[in-house]
Amino acid sequence: MLKRTYFCGGSVMAVALAMGAAGSAAAQAQPTVVEEVVVTGSFIAGTPEDAALPVDVLGAAELERQGSPSIVQLVKTISASQSALGESNRYNGGAGTATINLRGLGASRTLVLMNGRRLADSTQAAFQGGGQDLGFIPTAATGRVEILKDGAAATYGSDAVGGVVNFITRKDLDGFEVDADYTLIDGSDGDYTVDLAWGSLFDRGNVLLTAGYRHRSRLDINERDWARTPMDAVYYGGWSGSSNPGYYGTPGGTTFFRDNGCNELGGQLTAGVVPTSNTATGSVCRFQFSAFNDLVNEEDHYQLYGELNFDVTDTITFHGEVAWKRSDVPNQRLSPANLTTQFPTPRTAGGTSGSTAVPGFNGQVPYFVPATHPGLIDLRTQCAAPLSAAQCAGMAGGVTMAKAFWRAIAHAGHPTNPDGADYQDIQNTSFRVSGGFKGEFGNGIGWDAALTYMETESVIVTNDLLVNRIQHALNGLGGPGCNPATGVPGVGPCQYFNPFTNSIATSAVNGAANPYYRGGANPAVLNNPALVEWLYGTYTNVGTNNILVADLVFNGETGIELGGGNIAWAAGGQYRYSRSRDDWENLGDVRATPCVDSIDDGLPICSDPVGPFVFFGAQEDYDVDRDVEALFAEVRLPFTDDFEVSAAVRHEEFGGQVGSTTNPKISARWQATDWLAFRGSAGTTFRAPGQTQISPGSSKGVSNIGGSYRAVVTNNNPGLQPETAKTYNFGVLLDTGAFKASVDYFKFDFEDELVLEPTQAIYDSLNCSNAAIVARFIFDGACSPANVINVSRFVVNGPSTKTSGLDFKAQYDFDDFFGTDMVDARVSMGLDGTYLLTYDRSDFTLFGADTVVIQRAQDRVGRHELTGEFYSYPRLRATGFVNVNGGTWNVRYQVQYREGTEIIGAPCPASGASAACRYDRASATFINVGKSDDYWQHDLTGQIELPWNTTVSAGIQNILDTDPPFVQSMYNYDYTNGNPLGRTFKIGIKQRF
């Protein structure tokens, strides 16, 4: 017969404190019959949860006592997890996904499993460093979660660097369940979830079917006053120097005036980086594009899951599962137009611009407004202050736009969307099927064979302005019915696009009337909304990841007896096939539309094909795949009843230039006394570069660089090698019955880290006499930090990183209510946390020029960087709780603590030219932002069992309605640790039939 084990919530919860969930179930959960427990981190059957490796386990009952948190909320309570996707709109991708990032090493370095089998990498999470989408996990089917907080390449192979999270489905449902909840959120329509589950237990197995739906309502940034603040520094808060009103110049490209209305429309003039009301030409107009964003996107999530387990014979069991998930992010709100990094070509070269400026990158010149443009004529003739007579006279021959300080649409908003924002739609769909058999030979050797296939696809539909359409419309030859080759400017279907603020009646940013508006007196300056909408081009990007995994594992005992029992072993192999594809619709496909002129069906004019859009670069489709073969072995040596040693080794073969890698690991556990035990482990781990990263190609995005959002081109690197790490863990465990505690010291030593070159560091290293640095930039004119419009970076094997810290947890279980018999209640109290000791990175050198240091060695403990690299490392993260259980009811109080952080880098200089600065308007000086406030969040949840198999739950999250502390980021808070929702109220009901 197949071995079955029994465990109760109390035994599991002895090691579950790191989830911040423990207390409630430790003594109260009823024993449950489950299939054999194979603890994450070992393939040897019967490995206990409190073995040599630091594994934490959280069961379904514990999750209920936490208030059935969403995956996003759950990840935030795990003290060992930092800087993950999920709660907030992170602007540069990842919408609709949630990831986990153990040890803050990156979500791509935490391996996520479902029932012990791999998931495919999320195509959307790739925008923020990779990883698997936790939203795929079927909520209604989850029975427990196991978290291994240690490197596990010796067991699971590539990607298990920071640890492993294994979601295991339930096997005990016999009947039908309906579970629904609603969360009230101020300023939002609230979030709600409905889960259905049906299960049946029969003599030789069980079947489980679940369906789930979750809706998240959008939370506008304007609903939180701390998220959208006046500009007091140009490095955060969603402010950009690429604006409208913008800078204009002579036909030759020399800047000489700025359009009117910046402060009046909701922008901010700055002299350098100092906020000012000075309207002199030298001041820059800043535009807060985040005014058109949401703190939380509207999202719809759908899940379906089915599972079948049955005994084929007395010694063979079948397991099969199928899962499907879709997430929709409709109308994700964005700035009405992107900043401009591409420009038209001059008429003398067959292009669309009449500018006489000297062609720059790709033979392009600034956008040009001819002297006959009605908006320019009105601007020049009215010559409203603060424009000077000399400036207005200089407009007579037409004007150009300054490349670095202009965008086509800003404070005017999108013309046909009522909220003024532009929209993009994102849909993620995933499908997974897994099945296999396990059994036992007559000689007692067990075996497990499985095959798993998964596909995940993202479809992104987004917009960007088309360079040539803008220039045609500036020439009066715009509009869907106008032929630029034969039309007459401003006649019939041919229309002018007016880029000046005299066309804006009311600001889409602050709702204020524009004192410079001229449309009432001169309708010729108005923009036709249909014309402006015509300026946008739409493209669709479809990204697909596939994975096929075949596993074969054998395990058993050797028959060699040691003092503590037989030597146990496991061995096996794995084959993995992965494939990544990216398909771009024509406007986004660089082969179909290589240049800005390509949309006119004329001769493309460009030396560097980057597409037709003002900002988004066109991409080339790719289709890459990889085969990986692996062999592994594991042995457990029980030298005595109290002391055992385990060893494991895994060899993976990637082929090609990546080659192969072999990773060993050793661990030990010593039960020194009945109440005291020690454990430790040491090993090596690795992560191979993705096949996409080592394939030729590049992609284009945006980053806050030098206080302005600028274009960033990310280049792949065929020369990448795997990153490697040495991992260590040493722990002390105490168990006196009512009191359980543990402290673990962890250490990770990285080499050849797979990482993107930091764009801010490249920018800060700009030296116009260093050809290697200069080659990374595109300038609007001469080499100068102020003239940078594009930065190029590479995926590289970067610096070494060393991180270490302490995990701690403790729980005390009372058999009564603090020594009394009040209402027969029992109490559990607990605390868990992570204290970060070190996070040191060595010097970062420029790829291709190893003698050029672009970033000096860093200590990231207690530091953050949330405008470009997206990390935050509080020194201390901790969660405490008090749980009171009365049999049919349960009440839990929980408090989360996150120590404040400060931005990494130099302190604030007097000039204010640093992200560490904030402008103090009272003293008219810049001050150092310093360390952010510590963050405390208090939560209260309760459940009561009613007759009729009904459970009602209620909870208040963030009881004190505490705002997240300010840190330098686009939304002015730490979205990896803080909570933007404020106080929320949740009510739920579960009905069992």
Side-chain angles (χ1 to χ4, degrees), residues 15-20 54 56 77-80 103 149 679 729-732 740-746 805-811 830-837 875-881 897-898:
V15 292
L17 294 173
M19 303 295 293
D56 295 328
T77 66
I78 301 173
S79 62
R103 304 302 183 202
K149 300 179 294 182
R679 65 184 175 194
N729 191 90
F730 175 76
V732 180
K740 297 177 177 67
S742 67
V743 177
D744 282 90
Y745 169 80
F746 63 87
L806 298 172
D807 289 330
F808 57 90
K809 53 189 175 183
Q811 177 176 327
L831 173 71
D832 81 89
T834 296
Y835 187 85
L836 196 60
L837 295 170
R875 184 177 296 275
L876 176 61
R877 292 165 51 97
T879 301
F881 69 89
Y897 171 79
R898 305 293 181 259

Side-chain angles (χ1 to χ4, degrees), residues 76 110 153 280 379 420 462 466 480 545 563 713 839 841 864 911 921:
K76 284 197 170 184
T110 297
L379 182 69
T462 194
L466 291 161
N545 285 343
V713 175
Y839 200 114
R841 286 163 58 86
H864 70 259
S911 66
R921 298 173 189 271

Side-chain angles (χ1 to χ4, degrees), residues 674-756:
D674 290 342
W675 54 272
L676 177 65
F678 299 91
R679 65 184 175 194
S681 64
T684 65
T685 188
F686 79 103
R687 184 170 70 100
Q691 196 66 23
T692 303
Q693 294 175 319
I694 61 176
S695 300
S698 64
S699 59
K700 193 173 183 182
V702 62
S703 184
N704 188 324
I705 309 167
S708 293
Y709 282 83
R710 308 170 197 254
V712 177
V713 175
T714 300
N715 300 280
N716 298 335
N717 183 353
L720 291 174
Q721 297 297 314
E723 66 182 11
T724 60
K726 297 176 182 177
T727 67
Y728 309 90
N729 191 90
F730 175 76
V732 180
L733 298 88
L734 288 82
D735 186 346
T736 64
F739 178 71
K740 297 177 177 67
S742 67
V743 177
D744 282 90
Y745 169 80
F746 63 87
K747 182 179 181 181
F748 293 78
D749 288 351
F750 272 98
E751 292 182 358
D752 298 324
E753 180 180 354
L754 292 166
V755 66
L756 291 171

Side-chain angles (χ1 to χ4, degrees), residues 211-565:
Y213 170 71
R214 180 177 182 233
H215 176 81
R216 302 187 76 198
S217 297
R218 59 176 288 256
L219 178 62
D220 193 318
I221 190 172
N222 296 291
E223 295 292 341
R224 298 293 183 266
D225 55 6
W226 47 261
R228 185 180 164 215
T229 56
M231 201 215 78
D232 55 14
V234 297
Y235 294 88
Y236 43 86
W239 291 90
S240 172
S242 178
S243 182
N244 187 315
Y247 267 104
Y248 298 85
T250 65
T254 302
T255 300
F256 72 93
F257 81 94
R258 186 196 61 251
D259 196 6
N260 292 329
C262 178
N263 286 351
E264 292 84 352
L265 292 170
Q268 174 64 66
L269 290 171
T270 61
V273 296
V274 179
T276 181
S277 58
N278 182 1
T279 57
T281 303
S283 55
V284 175
C285 181
R286 307 284 177 174
F287 167 56
Q288 193 175 29
F289 60 87
S290 63
F292 297 95
N293 294 158
D294 291 328
L295 284 174
V296 176
N297 297 310
E298 180 182 358
E299 300 174 9
D300 291 291
H301 299 265
Y302 309 87
Q303 296 176 331
L304 295 174
Y305 180 77
E307 178 180 317
L308 175 64
N309 301 281
F310 70 89
D311 297 339
V312 180
T313 70
D314 287 344
T315 59
I316 299 176
T317 295
F318 170 79
H319 168 83
E321 63 185 62
V322 60
W324 175 89
K325 171 256 184 183
R326 173 169 290 169
S327 64
D328 291 327
V329 184
N331 297 331
Q332 182 183 17
R333 300 174 71 243
L334 305 171
S335 170
N338 293 305
L339 56 90
T340 308
T341 61
Q342 287 214 98
F343 308 91
T345 47
R347 283 186 183 275
T348 54
T352 60
S353 175
S355 169
T356 60
V358 177
F361 170 72
N362 246 1
Q364 297 174 353
V365 295
Y367 290 97
F368 179 69
V369 181
T372 56
H373 191 289
L376 179 61
I377 294 173
D378 188 88
L379 182 69
R380 177 165 54 88
T381 55
Q382 291 298 311
C383 201
L387 289 174
S388 68
Q391 288 173 330
C392 294
M395 303 177 195
V399 299
T400 56
M401 286 73 162
K403 289 183 178 179
F405 298 105
W406 180 82
R407 74 174 71 202
I409 303 169
H411 296 91
H414 193 285
T416 59
N417 294 333
D419 57 4
D422 192 17
Y423 301 145
Q424 72 174 0
D425 295 334
I426 300 174
Q427 184 181 90
N428 296 307
T429 305
S430 300
F431 170 78
R432 181 178 188 264
V433 59
S434 181
F437 297 88
K438 69 177 180 178
E440 188 175 288
F441 297 117
N443 59 5
I445 294 177
W447 57 273
D448 187 343
L451 191 66
T452 302
Y453 172 79
M454 182 172 177
E455 177 176 291
T456 179
E457 177 188 83
S458 67
V459 180
I460 304 174
V461 181
T462 194
N463 309 307
D464 196 9
L465 296 170
L466 291 161
V467 172
N468 263 29
R469 286 190 179 179
I470 294 175
Q471 187 58 65
H472 285 320
L474 292 173
N475 292 337
L477 298 170
C482 179
N483 185 337
T486 60
V488 178
V491 177
C494 297
Q495 305 171 61
Y496 281 97
F497 168 63
N498 183 6
F500 304 110
T501 56
N502 55 17
S503 66
I504 303 173
T506 304
S507 168
V509 172
N510 63 3
N514 177 18
Y516 299 97
Y517 173 62
R518 290 280 301 155
N522 182 8
V525 305
L526 296 176
N527 282 317
N528 183 342
L531 165 70
V532 181
E533 189 171 38
W534 172 82
L535 300 177
Y536 291 85
T538 301
Y539 67 87
T540 300
N541 170 232
V542 180
T544 308
N545 285 343
N546 305 83
I547 188 171
L548 174 68
V549 184
D551 292 295
L552 179 61
V553 180
F554 300 95
N555 59 59
E557 295 182 345
T558 63
I560 301 174
E561 188 84 16
L562 298 179

Side-chain angles (χ1 to χ4, degrees), residues 840-856:
D840 299 327
R841 286 163 58 86
S842 63
D843 287 348
F844 206 130
T845 59
L846 187 71
F847 177 65
D850 292 341
T851 60
V852 179
V853 177
I854 59 174
Q855 188 176 80
R856 291 295 179 186

